[in-house]
Structure formats: C-alpha cells, structure tokens
Amino acid sequence: MLVTGREILEAADRGGYGVGAFNIHTLEMLGPVLEVAEELKSPILLQFTYGSIQFIGAEAIGVLGGHLARRSPVPVAIHLDHGAGFEQSVTAIRSGFTSVMIDASRLPLEENIAATRRVVELAHTAGVSVEAEIGRVGGTEDHVTVNEWEASLTLPEEAERFAAETGVDYLAVAFGTAHGFYKGEPRLDLDRLAEVDRRVSVPLVMHGGSGVPHTLVRQAIERGVRKVNVATELKDAWARAVREILAVQPEEIDPRKLLAPAREAVKHVVRQKIQVVGSAGRG
Ligand code: 13P
C-alpha cells in the first residue's frame, strides 16, 4: 500500500521499533529495495533527494514508484529527502510523493520555523506528511569540523518549540550522526536524543545511518528514533559489485548481467538494516 510517512512512523512509535528509509539513486535500486521489504514483511520509506529526482525524473518515480507501492502488500511511503525549499516540495507532492522533508536547518531558528510551516500547510492540505530538521547533521557535504560538533547539535528546548510551532510530523535530530562513512566509531549524544524525545511527541529521525554500529542504532531507537536513513552503504555496495563484475568479466555488455550482482548487494544491505531497526514482520 502507498501510505504517508506519518502512518508508518506513528505505527512504529506505538510499537517501539524503527523503520528504514532507503535512498534510491537510480530506478534500478527501487525493485530490489522493495522486494526485501516484502520478503521481510516490513514497512519501508523509499526516499529520493532532489538530485535523484532530477536524475530519474519526478514523473517516473511517481508513476512507477506509486504503482509498485500501491500493489505492494507492505506499507510504503515515497519521500523527498532534504528538500531545499518550497518549490521542491511542490514538485514532489505533484508527482505523488506521500512524504517530504524540508531542510531549512542551516537558517536561523525563526526562519527554519517559517519555511517549515509553509511546507507543512501545503503538504497537509494535500494529505502528505512532513519531516524537518533542527540542529545540523554534519557530514561530507557540510565539512563540519570537530570544533563545530557540539555547536551543531540540536538543542532540546529549541526542538520542543520547533515541533509545537511548525506542526511537523517527524523531526530529524542532530545528535552526532553524519552523512557518509565515519572515521572510527561515531560519537553520539544519546542523552541529548532522549531529552529531545521527552520534550517532543512526534517520531524522531536519524540521518547518517550508514556505518553506525548496530548497538548504537538500537540505542537510538530506544530513545525515540523511528526513521533511520541509509544512503552511503547502498551506494557503496552497488559500486563495489559493479566494479567487481567489470573486473572479472570485462567483455560482458549485457546490462542485466552487469547489474544483477549490484541488485543483490543492495538487497543484502537492506535485509540487514531491516533486521537491525526491528521492522521485520510489522508490515
Ligand atoms: P548516510 O549516507 O550516512 O547513510 O545518510 C543518509 C541520510 O541521512 C540521507 O538523508
């Protein structure tokens, strides 16, 4: 079934488990990710950055993704990841997405609240749910330095105000995770996450799910995280499989044969993540 992100994450909140939100970079990744969700009877969020929407085509995602989701036995939401402004949300909603993120977290609090409210008003009118971010999740895109680590984390009192004033459906919290792979073990502020969870009633979102040890992912879920974003591990598995087959079969030209191992590699990552977040059997 095609459902909103809110339906999936509220059920996860009631059940105390997490749900994987997997970044789809090419249409070829869509089938394998969904197949694993169905195999494990798990709800799932298929998420696309605006870059992926431009690469694949908004209409292609809406038509194909929407069709596959509707005929799927498990709950599926189609989500815009890190929407950069109002227009990107409009494009996604028009194309049939059931969940959008507005990421105005780089702006001062008041402006983040205003930008988020605007998207919430539009999305809720269309029956679409909204994720926003408060604090800044670091990572390779942001070039956050060690000194900035603490300054960029979510302040629980700001999160409380932000959730109340925006009417957002789920909230991304900066508590030490980062996009991309980590150098060593990530340093997570789980007490801060727990404090945000005490003050905010909506489900919480963890960005930067790749490379976070399983025990830490589970500890974050115990502290209110319901949506766990994974992108880098999927790209990495995909690229390794493609490199490997090109190395051992340099003469192969059939795209199906070249991409079959990549599809399996992606499935392996998704299977593992679904087991870690605890959503298997919840669909
Ligand atoms: P990773 O690339 O670290 O898995 O992060 C994904 C993410 O948070 C997408 O918004």
Side-chain angles (χ1 to χ4, degrees):
M1 319 135 239
L2 178 64
V3 300
T4 62
R6 181 174 170 157
E7 280 172 70
I8 290 176
L9 298 176
E10 281 186 350
D13 224 13
R14 287 192 296 274
Y17 57 92
V19 180
F22 298 98
N23 281 74
I24 307 294
H25 295 91
T26 111
L27 217 39
E28 277 294 334
M29 283 185 177
L30 186 63
V33 173
L34 195 52
E35 270 169 42
V36 176
E38 292 176 3
E39 166 194 313
L40 298 180
K41 299 186 175 28
S42 168
I44 196 162
L45 291 104
L46 303 171
Q47 61 183 14
F48 300 81
T49 60
Y50 199 69
S52 295
I53 291 177
Q54 287 177 311
F55 181 73
I56 299 169
E59 203 182 337
I61 295 170
V63 172
L64 183 62
H67 174 75
L68 293 177
R70 267 187 288 274
R71 70 118 190 80
S72 178
V74 298
V76 181
I78 302 180
H79 174 79
L80 167 66
D81 187 29
H82 290 285
F86 188 76
E87 292 311 318
Q88 294 187 0
S89 296
V90 172
T91 302
I93 292 168
R94 277 209 185 115
S95 309
F97 283 53
T98 56
S99 175
V100 292
M101 178 183 189
I102 167 71
D103 181 1
S105 61
R106 280 181 185 76
L107 301 177
L109 181 64
E110 301 295 335
E111 289 172 47
N112 189 358
I113 289 174
T116 302
R117 269 170 83 153
R118 201 163 162 238
V119 171
V120 167
E121 277 164 26
L122 167 83
H124 284 181
T125 309
V128 168
S129 39
V130 181
E131 172 183 341
E133 179 173 323
I134 171 109
R136 280 177 57 196
V137 175
T140 46
E141 301 121 321
D142 292 352
H143 305 292
V144 172
T145 66
V146 176
N147 288 346
E148 285 173 288
W149 183 79
E150 191 131 28
S152 65
L153 299 185
T154 302
L155 296 172
E157 59 275 20
E158 282 192 5
E160 183 176 359
R161 186 179 153 209
F162 185 84
E165 292 188 16
T166 57
V168 74
D169 299 293
Y170 21 102
L171 185 63
V173 181
F175 62 101
T177 60
H179 298 113
F181 279 131
Y182 298 87
K183 295 183 195 78
E185 181 139 328
R187 187 173 142 213
L188 302 189
D189 190 341
L190 291 167
D191 292 339
R192 183 182 299 262
L193 179 64
E195 180 59 20
V196 172
D197 190 42
R198 266 191 290 280
R199 289 168 177 255
V200 172
S201 61
V202 296
L204 305 180
V205 180
M206 178 172 121
H207 281 250
S210 293
V212 180
H214 298 169
T215 47
L216 287 180
V217 174
R218 292 201 184 99
Q219 284 171 12
I221 291 170
E222 281 163 19
R223 289 160 181 78
V225 162
R226 299 292 170 244
K227 177 173 180 276
V228 177
N229 287 7
V230 180
T232 300
E233 277 189 56
L234 297 177
K235 285 195 286 189
D236 185 59
W238 181 270
R240 278 173 195 272
V242 170
R243 262 187 230 116
E244 203 176 299
I245 193 156
L246 286 172
V248 295
Q249 296 183 37
E251 308 297 330
E252 182 59 65
I253 61 160
D254 186 333
R256 295 164 298 184
K257 291 193 178 141
L258 290 173
L259 289 181
R263 290 166 65 102
E264 287 310 310
V266 161
K267 284 170 85 166
H268 179 74
V269 173
V270 175
R271 219 172 263 130
Q272 195 181 45
K273 294 292 174 193
I274 286 179
Q275 299 295 1
V276 172
V277 300
S279 64
R282 304 285 191 163

